[in-house]
Amino acid sequence: TGNGTGDVGGTIVPGTAPGFPPFEIKEGGELTGFDVELLEAVVAETSYELGEWKEFEFDSLIQALTSGNIDVIAAAMTITEEREQTISFTNSYYEADQSILVAKGGDFSPSSLDDLSGRPIGAQKGTTGEQVVQEELVDAGKLEPSNYKAYDNYVLAVTDLENGNVDAVVLDKPVAQTFQQERDVEIAFTYETGEAYGFGVRKDDNAVRQALNEGLQAVEENGTYEELRNKWFSE
Ligand code: ARG
């Protein structure tokens, strides 16, 4: 796969981690969502073709990319310095903070991270939500490591929240808003992290990164980006 030589054209194989609505959703066996449709529109503006989507757990995506199993990550992945040690990102296409979800109508209504002290808290493995729990709660001595529950995906975490197996789940705000509409959970408060999502590419893959950046600019200019935002997000 891929196009390590920098030639124009070729196939880009995309990878994602579904279960993160509305960015990547598995619906009746079909993969869809904002990231999926955005990347398809972006690549259509380039001289590349998009290959078949491959699915992974979120914390396996970077390895899948660096090993050449896929050529681009489209998974609402936050651009972080730590990840940039290993991979590169396109320009940002979406922004987010971390929201704290709790059971709807329950008696636990935290308003700050301190209020989560000593409670069972969930997040998805390898995410920036997990990083908030780890750094702001566990490392800060407010949470026993055993009180942190790491999930393979946020759908499982939200189900555990509805069932009372965790008291809160930390995740990207736009996804928390979607779960709030669809499930028995609500946002208690939002912790500002100022994150920006980019498509992930291999470090040496300047040709693909540049093509995707040009494609992103094209869909922003021709109205497709806004159309997709309006389609997938209510606000
Ligand atoms: N934005 C967060 C991060 O980069 C969460 C992304 C989770 N994405 C997913 N497809 N499950 O860590």
Side-chain angles (χ1 to χ4, degrees):
T1 68
N3 179 264
T5 62
D7 292 341
V8 176
T11 301
I12 305 177
V13 176
T16 191
F20 204 63
F23 293 96
E24 28 273 346
I25 305 166
K26 205 65 191 281
E27 244 171 27
E30 287 290 302
L31 181 67
T32 183
F34 177 74
D35 280 341
V36 173
E37 294 196 342
L38 178 62
L39 185 65
E40 284 169 357
V42 164
V43 172
E45 296 291 333
T46 73
S47 57
Y48 290 89
E49 276 180 24
L50 199 65
E52 289 282 321
W53 285 87
K54 294 188 182 179
E55 295 168 22
F56 300 86
E57 277 165 9
F58 184 76
D59 68 348
S60 301
L61 281 167
I62 288 181
Q63 164 69 21
L65 178 66
T66 57
S67 69
N69 193 353
I70 55 174
D71 301 310
V72 59
I73 297 171
M77 188 175 274
T78 302
I79 301 166
T80 67
E81 279 181 22
E82 195 191 337
R83 290 171 181 158
E84 280 178 324
Q85 312 273 317
T86 319
I87 64 171
S88 291
F89 288 95
T90 63
N91 294 332
S92 161
Y93 64 85
Y94 207 91
E95 285 166 14
D97 294 304
Q98 293 296 312
S99 285
I100 286 62
L101 271 182
V102 297
K104 193 174 282 176
D107 48 17
F108 183 49
S109 34
S111 57
S112 73
L113 289 179
D114 274 349
D115 293 342
L116 304 181
S117 299
R119 299 278 192 151
I121 310 295
Q124 183 180 27
K125 285 178 197 162
T127 61
T128 50
E130 171 173 82
Q131 198 180 335
V132 168
V133 176
Q134 186 62 43
E135 290 175 3
E136 307 298 328
L137 294 171
V138 177
D139 295 351
K142 294 171 184 166
L143 202 70
E144 292 297 320
S146 62
N147 275 330
Y148 168 55
K149 294 202 176 189
Y151 292 89
D152 284 336
N153 66 67
Y154 274 115
V155 175
L156 298 171
V158 166
T159 300
D160 254 12
L161 183 58
E162 288 172 332
N163 295 337
N165 294 326
V166 286
D167 284 348
V169 169
V170 181
L171 77 173
D172 301 36
K173 182 177 177 185
V175 180
Q177 287 173 320
T178 306
F179 281 128
Q180 177 170 255
Q181 285 163 14
E182 297 176 353
R183 306 282 299 262
D184 256 351
V185 296
E186 61 193 2
I187 295 176
F189 68 98
T190 293
Y191 177 72
E192 281 180 26
T193 49
E195 295 171 54
Y197 302 164
F199 297 124
V201 298
R202 274 184 295 281
K203 266 202 166 199
D204 56 4
D205 217 347
N206 285 323
V208 167
R209 186 168 45 87
Q210 231 173 58
L212 294 179
N213 278 337
E214 285 166 17
L216 266 175
Q217 196 180 337
V219 299
E220 274 162 26
E221 284 168 7
N222 71 18
T224 304
Y225 176 83
E226 208 192 329
E227 231 172 75
L228 290 177
R229 264 191 93 121
N230 292 338
K231 171 177 175 183
W232 289 102
F233 301 92
S234 38
E235 26 152 58

